[in-house]
Amino acid sequence: MSNCIFCKIVRGEIPCRKVYEDEELFAFHDIHPVAPVHFMLIPKLHIESLSETNDSHAKLLGNILLQASKLAKEQGLHSGFRTVINTGKGGGQEVFHLHIHIIGGGNIPPMVRRE
Ligand code: AMP
Ligand code: ZN
């Protein structure tokens, strides 16, 4: 996708703080981190969102989760981390290239506030 910001990052057309790269995956620090460690892991393949995946992506989806765990540890998140995949407008997705946020290193609040 020529106009996709994350495809441009993968192609090196937009600078990023790269965390990791292999044949199918790419990881880079979020430009607006919400915690001391906050990076994104994406497939190099342009897939708009998790909603757009199908059986042909099964291996890729497995690999991306395994790599998320490895990279989180490499980034020092030994006590744990949060993974977030925003999907579609209803899920708060802003960049329409599938990505996993990997977040940690600070005080991570519960996802659901109980009053
Ligand atoms: P989402 O709401 O899941 O689509 O999140 C998109 C994320 O991409 C946000 O957390 C942004 O801060 C991040 N982002 C947008 N542009 C860039 C960029 N050029 N480099 C790194 N992160 C970016
Ligand atoms: Zn893309």
Side-chain angles (χ1 to χ4, degrees):
M1 281 282 281
S2 53
N3 239 351
C4 168
I5 188 169
F6 286 180
C7 283
K8 285 183 180 174
I9 286 176
V10 169
R11 291 197 296 266
E13 294 167 15
I14 291 179
C16 75
R17 287 175 56 221
K18 184 160 97 175
V19 170
Y20 175 79
E21 179 174 12
D22 65 25
E23 318 79 62
E24 69 175 354
L25 304 176
F26 196 94
F28 54 97
H29 291 282
D30 198 294
I31 205 165
H32 294 124
V34 299
V37 178
H38 182 177
F39 62 97
M40 226 89 70
L41 178 59
I42 71 173
K44 287 182 171 177
L45 181 68
H46 180 85
I47 303 171
E48 280 206 3
S49 78
L50 193 60
S51 278
E52 304 303 315
T53 56
N54 57 48
D55 289 356
S56 76
H57 301 116
K59 191 158 189 295
L60 172 64
L61 291 171
N63 288 344
I64 202 168
L65 276 185
L66 291 169
Q67 196 60 48
S69 171
K70 283 183 197 161
L71 292 178
K73 286 171 198 144
E74 280 176 28
Q75 292 294 312
L77 302 179
H78 300 291
S79 70
F81 53 91
R82 174 165 289 167
T83 45
V84 173
I85 305 176
N86 296 322
T87 302
K89 289 209 187 310
Q93 186 175 2
E94 291 184 329
V95 176
F96 284 83
H97 179 130
L98 174 62
H99 53 279
I100 303 181
H101 295 259
I102 295 145
I103 298 163
N107 178 33
I108 303 293
M111 283 284 289
V112 177
R113 194 185 298 237
R114 294 174 193 85
E115 320 246 21

